[in-house]
Amino acid sequence: MIRSYTITSGKGGVGKTTITVNLGISLALLNRETYILDADIGMANMALILGMDDVPVTLHEVLAGKADIESAIYEGPAGVKVVPSGISLQGFQQADPDKLRDVMRKLVDRCEYLLIDAPSGISKEGVVPLSVADEVILVVNPELASMADALKTKILCEVMGGRVYGAILNRAGMEHTELRSHSVEDVLGVRVIDVVPEDASVRRAAAYKTPCVLKYPNADASRAFRRIAAQICGVGYQDESPGSRQEGFVDRLARAVFR
């Protein structure tokens, strides 16, 4: 079944592009034909994260009528297909956001899952992805400003006839995580899909222009990305990475003796 998800947030800097990229790769690792589209044509940075900032054709050229969508599709890590936006202001000025609908329709015909990285906030560029996708995923940080802005985005989505799949609580501290999840659900009125903890591995991976799920697959954040992907696919998730099993007394004793 083909599904499209718009990943958005009420405010910038909450990590929605990082989630889009890592979640897309996690779906591809589950052998799902997955496309990720950078629809944040004004503040695009997916290409930077993936080291694709020098590709010849981007979504900007497609929306400007200078190229077809086939020319802007690139093979990404783990087989995920990437449609990046350009990083130049000139390309942004020439792009026509109204053509996003046609682009998304063409991409859906090609894949099982389409993840759309939408602009944060409320703007003309952000309205189209909210109304076209099957469902919307809100990305929030455990802070009041992020949740308040996400609530506005959720209301706009519902006004546009969209459906919210749930919220991802990103960059959460490990203390009182359960309490914070309940708070997000109370404020937004949607379920928390999962919690992605604050993890330095995400920043380290970004420095290498390599997604965290590939650079540091055993990191806590990477496990969270894989859990969310499994949930979206409706398959069971089994964490077989080192350290996932609860260490017992005998294990700790053996490790201390044979260190």
Side-chain angles (χ1 to χ4, degrees), residues 9-252:
S9 62
K11 63 189 294 291
V14 300
K16 63 180 178 59
T17 301
T18 297
I19 286 179
T20 303
V21 169
N22 283 278
L23 182 55
I25 291 174
S26 297
L27 287 168
L29 289 172
L30 290 173
N31 297 319
R32 269 43 176 201
E33 184 68 18
T34 306
Y35 279 56
I36 53 177
L37 166 70
D38 191 351
D40 192 353
I41 60 176
M43 296 292 180
N45 55 25
M46 182 183 292
L48 294 174
I49 292 177
L50 291 169
M52 294 183 174
D53 44 301
D54 59 347
V55 294
V57 180
T58 71
L59 182 62
H60 281 175
E61 286 70 42
V62 177
L63 296 181
K66 297 179 179 180
D68 54 31
I69 186 59
E70 288 77 12
S71 303
I73 300 173
Y74 299 90
E75 183 86 13
V80 68
K81 303 299 190 303
V82 183
V83 181
S85 275
I87 60 176
S88 72
L89 288 176
Q90 182 180 6
F92 166 66
Q93 291 172 339
Q94 296 174 350
D96 181 5
D98 291 333
K99 294 183 179 179
L100 268 174
R101 293 178 184 273
D102 293 333
V103 169
M104 293 176 190
R105 291 191 184 102
K106 291 178 180 178
L107 291 178
V108 165
D109 293 336
R110 296 168 169 265
C111 59
E112 294 179 78
Y113 292 96
L114 171 63
L115 303 185
I116 305 161
D117 183 13
S120 57
I122 299 174
S123 64
K124 180 181 179 181
E125 294 83 5
V127 168
V128 176
L130 291 179
S131 60
V132 172
D134 294 316
E135 294 179 292
V136 172
I137 296 176
L138 299 171
V139 179
V140 297
N141 292 157
E143 56 186 36
L144 184 58
S146 177
M147 288 191 286
D149 289 345
L151 179 58
K152 298 174 187 176
T153 304
K154 179 216 173 191
I155 294 173
L156 175 62
C157 175
E158 293 173 342
V159 169
M160 297 295 298
R163 180 175 181 272
V164 178
Y165 178 74
I168 295 176
L169 182 55
N170 190 40
R171 301 180 64 182
M174 297 308 292
E175 298 179 0
H176 310 301
T177 298
E178 183 178 357
L179 177 61
R180 290 178 177 181
S181 295
H182 289 319
S183 299
V184 172
E185 291 176 338
D186 291 341
V187 171
L188 298 182
V190 299
R191 71 185 182 95
V192 170
I193 302 168
D194 209 323
V195 176
V196 180
E198 180 70 53
D199 193 334
S201 298
V202 176
R203 293 190 298 274
R204 288 197 297 266
Y208 288 98
K209 294 186 177 181
T210 304
C212 187
V213 288
L214 297 178
K215 184 68 174 177
Y216 303 107
N218 299 328
D220 291 334
S222 297
R223 294 173 185 169
F225 295 135
R226 294 197 299 272
R227 284 197 307 269
I228 298 170
Q231 184 179 154
I232 289 176
C233 290
V235 299
Y237 171 76
Q238 185 171 353
D239 191 352
E240 298 179 350
S241 56
S244 61
R245 183 171 55 90
Q246 185 68 32
E247 187 178 43
F249 171 74
V250 174
D251 297 312
R252 294 196 301 272

